Amino acid sequence: MIESPSLPSDPTELYLQISYDDELWDTPQADTLERWNVAVLHRRRTHDGGHTPEESSGCAIAGCPSCTTEDVAVGEMTFYRVHLDRGRNAYWAMEEESEELYEIAQVLLDPQTGSFTSEVGELLEYVGSALLVMDRVTLDPQWRGHGLAAVLGIEAIHRLMPGCRAIACSPGITDLRSQRLTDRSEWDRVNAKIAQGWERIGFRLYRDNVYLLSPASQDLEDQRGVLRGQLAELGASWRTPIS
């Protein structure tokens, strides 16, 4: 059983809300880049009378009339679906969008054509034409340290990857508010731990901190099952009183 004493609530009550805001811009940039926002929400149950969520979690009555549900945001993810075969040159579309996307484009795409470089193309199966970029993944501090980013990330990838030939990310610290990351060795240690988390679901370093994952990878599907099992164990551990 996985020990998880510091989790603030039952992790099996986490869920994702995936959305895309279509602003109806008839432009080549909008046709090439789609930004998908993923809210990480926790379904928190409380009883009337001021009981805490922890106290109400053991309610065995289905549809208890004294129990109310509140959805609380505990994290967010940002993905980009980059269409290499429509709109404008994807290389320059990514350069215009952000520095982070441009760094990935410089490693994976040909600036002349906006397509995958021949070297990258040789590594990828023909299962689609687009590029899915996992741009940002953040969780509130109290939910970190239990492998939940990988659990949630692989579920979002599974929903967003149809039609994509490759999934890419450039792992590193995205929450710069932590005051403890002033030492370079600690910064490197945390970045390495983040990269290891994404390697668990099949990402492999290609070059210059850009990691690649094929949607056709059997590791991706296998690890999805493994991580779902680990989430169930975390939930069971949280619900088991510590004697």
Side-chain angles (χ1 to χ4, degrees):
M1 188 70 68
I2 299 174
E3 296 293 335
S4 54
S6 64
L7 277 169
S9 195
D10 186 350
T12 61
E13 294 292 337
L14 292 169
Y15 70 99
L16 304 179
Q17 189 174 82
I18 303 175
S19 63
Y20 168 66
D21 295 332
D22 191 341
E23 298 179 340
L24 304 179
W25 289 348
D26 186 17
T27 65
Q29 180 79 4
D31 285 342
T32 303
L33 285 182
E34 296 177 0
R35 173 174 169 146
W36 289 80
N37 300 306
V38 182
V40 181
L41 303 173
H42 184 261
R43 187 171 288 114
R44 185 173 299 167
R45 296 190 305 134
T46 57
H47 282 289
D48 292 340
H51 289 220
T52 65
E54 290 80 7
E55 290 169 340
S56 67
S57 64
C59 181
I61 304 174
C64 173
S66 298
C67 190
T68 58
T69 302
E70 178 186 14
D71 294 331
V72 180
V74 299
E76 60 183 357
M77 295 183 269
T78 304
F79 287 81
Y80 285 89
R81 284 176 57 93
V82 186
H83 297 280
L84 309 186
D85 56 357
R86 74 185 198 202
R88 66 180 299 197
N89 183 309
Y91 181 98
W92 298 110
M94 294 173 71
E95 185 270 344
E96 183 176 311
E97 185 71 19
S98 73
E99 180 179 348
E100 291 77 14
L101 288 184
Y102 183 42
E103 290 174 354
I104 291 176
Q106 288 177 300
V107 173
L108 301 181
L109 303 184
D110 183 328
Q112 300 300 319
T113 65
S115 300
F116 291 114
T117 66
S118 57
E119 181 180 293
V120 172
E122 290 175 358
L123 302 174
L124 303 173
E125 296 186 45
Y126 285 95
V127 292
S129 59
L131 167 66
L132 180 65
V133 177
M134 184 172 67
D135 184 59
R136 183 180 179 89
V137 177
T138 59
L139 286 174
D140 288 352
Q142 64 268 32
W143 290 95
R144 298 174 190 169
H146 300 274
L148 290 171
V151 173
L152 299 167
I154 200 170
E155 293 297 332
I157 287 171
H158 181 77
R159 298 300 176 188
L160 294 172
M161 71 181 187
C164 293
R165 191 178 177 194
I167 307 158
C169 72
S170 182
I173 298 168
T174 56
D175 185 354
L176 303 179
R177 295 171 295 176
S178 177
Q179 299 300 311
R180 67 185 181 87
L181 297 177
T182 55
D183 181 78
R184 180 69 190 186
S185 61
E186 179 67 5
W187 179 278
D188 291 342
R189 186 193 68 80
V190 173
N191 274 329
K193 185 176 180 181
I194 292 171
Q196 289 171 3
W198 298 123
E199 287 175 341
R200 288 183 63 195
I201 66 176
F203 279 102
R204 294 294 179 264
L205 178 62
Y206 173 63
R207 193 174 72 232
D208 298 339
N209 200 45
V210 173
Y211 285 66
L212 275 177
L213 171 62
S214 169
S217 169
Q218 186 60 43
D219 287 345
L220 183 63
E221 191 61 33
D222 291 344
Q223 283 303 307
R224 187 179 180 220
V226 170
L227 290 171
R228 282 188 164 190
Q230 291 180 1
L231 177 64
E233 288 188 30
L234 278 172
S237 177
W238 187 86
R239 291 187 297 271
T240 302
I242 300 176
S243 57

